[in-house]
Amino acid sequence: MRVHKLTFAVLAVAAGLSLTACQNGDDGTGQSAPSSASTASSPDGGSGSGSSDQSGGKDATGKGSAGKSTGGQGTAAGTGSNGNGKVGKCRTDELEITARDNTIDGDPDGTVTVQLKNRGGRDCAISGYAGVDLKTSAGSLSAKRTGEQANPAILKQGQSTAFGINYPVNKSGGSGVRVTGLLVTPPDETKTVTLDWPGADTLPVTDGAGSPVKVGPVGNAGQGG
């Protein structure tokens, strides 16, 4: 009987130990699941955060860069490129400037036509009045604008435009004022080109105020043009 009782007690203890081990295994598994879930949520959270950051970065960088890039291109177009449908103004260095006598027999005044030819390798815009000065034996003489309306023009590579200079012919029989050169500054430019004067050698001496020499707008070759 004692043997049987001891055997039963041992079996009962073993069963109890086995049940405890199973419960610990369940608890461990239960604890490991949250730990695994927490570990899994960390990459998810990190990926989500990274994705949000990347998405936010792309949105901010993408839009910002596109805006800056577009703005940069727009600015580059405002200062002379064709990227934004705008054409930059014609620069002195891009223009081949020549002058020739264009006086018609019987006209009371003499006429010199100044031609500006686009050699810049790009389209350029030109409008307004050129600055014109005559170098004379009496000093520099600035031409006065005629007041005619200036029409804007786009010059493609190789295309030309012109304007006229009208001046009084010396019919006094005297020596007059000798013309030694012509200075031309294209519209909206500060760089001047010096040319030989192709017109009459002298201008009449005048006592009146103001310049007797007149310049028309670019696009108007003047008398005989």
Side-chain angles (χ1 to χ4, degrees):
M1 290 297 292
R2 288 181 180 179
V3 173
H4 291 296
K5 287 180 180 179
L6 288 173
T7 300
F8 179 77
V10 170
L11 290 175
V13 170
L17 291 174
S18 176
L19 180 60
T20 301
C22 289
Q23 290 175 349
N24 288 338
D26 292 340
D27 290 342
T29 303
Q31 291 175 356
S32 65
S35 174
S36 175
S38 174
T39 303
S41 67
S42 177
D44 289 342
S47 175
S49 174
S51 175
S52 174
D53 291 343
Q54 291 174 0
S55 174
K58 286 179 181 178
D59 288 343
T61 305
K63 290 181 180 179
S65 295
K68 289 178 181 177
S69 176
T70 302
Q73 291 175 359
T75 302
T79 55
S81 72
N82 295 333
N84 203 25
K86 295 183 179 178
V87 179
K89 66 181 180 181
C90 296
R91 302 287 185 179
T92 302
D93 291 337
E94 297 176 317
L95 297 171
E96 178 184 328
I97 304 175
T98 56
R100 64 185 177 89
D101 183 17
N102 204 23
T103 304
I104 295 178
D105 290 341
D107 281 352
D109 293 332
T111 301
V112 166
T113 296
V114 178
Q115 178 177 275
L116 304 97
K117 190 171 187 177
N118 181 8
R119 292 295 193 187
R122 67 177 180 95
D123 295 356
C124 66
I126 191 165
S127 177
Y129 283 79
V132 171
D133 294 278
L134 272 60
K135 295 169 64 176
T136 76
S137 55
S140 180
L141 178 64
S142 297
K144 184 178 179 180
R145 296 178 179 183
T146 61
E148 298 171 78
Q149 182 176 357
N151 296 316
I154 302 296
L155 297 182
K156 296 185 178 297
Q157 167 66 12
Q159 287 187 336
S160 302
T161 188
F163 64 88
I165 303 171
N166 291 348
Y167 62 95
V169 177
N170 182 17
K171 299 177 181 177
S172 66
S175 60
V177 177
R178 186 167 56 90
V179 182
T180 59
L182 171 63
L183 304 178
V184 176
T185 308
D188 300 319
E189 273 290 85
T190 56
K191 188 172 184 179
T192 301
V193 173
T194 302
L195 305 172
D196 291 333
W197 173 248
D201 293 336
T202 63
L203 303 177
V205 177
T206 58
D207 296 329
S211 173
V213 180
K214 310 294 182 182
V215 58
V218 171
N220 185 346
Q223 291 175 287

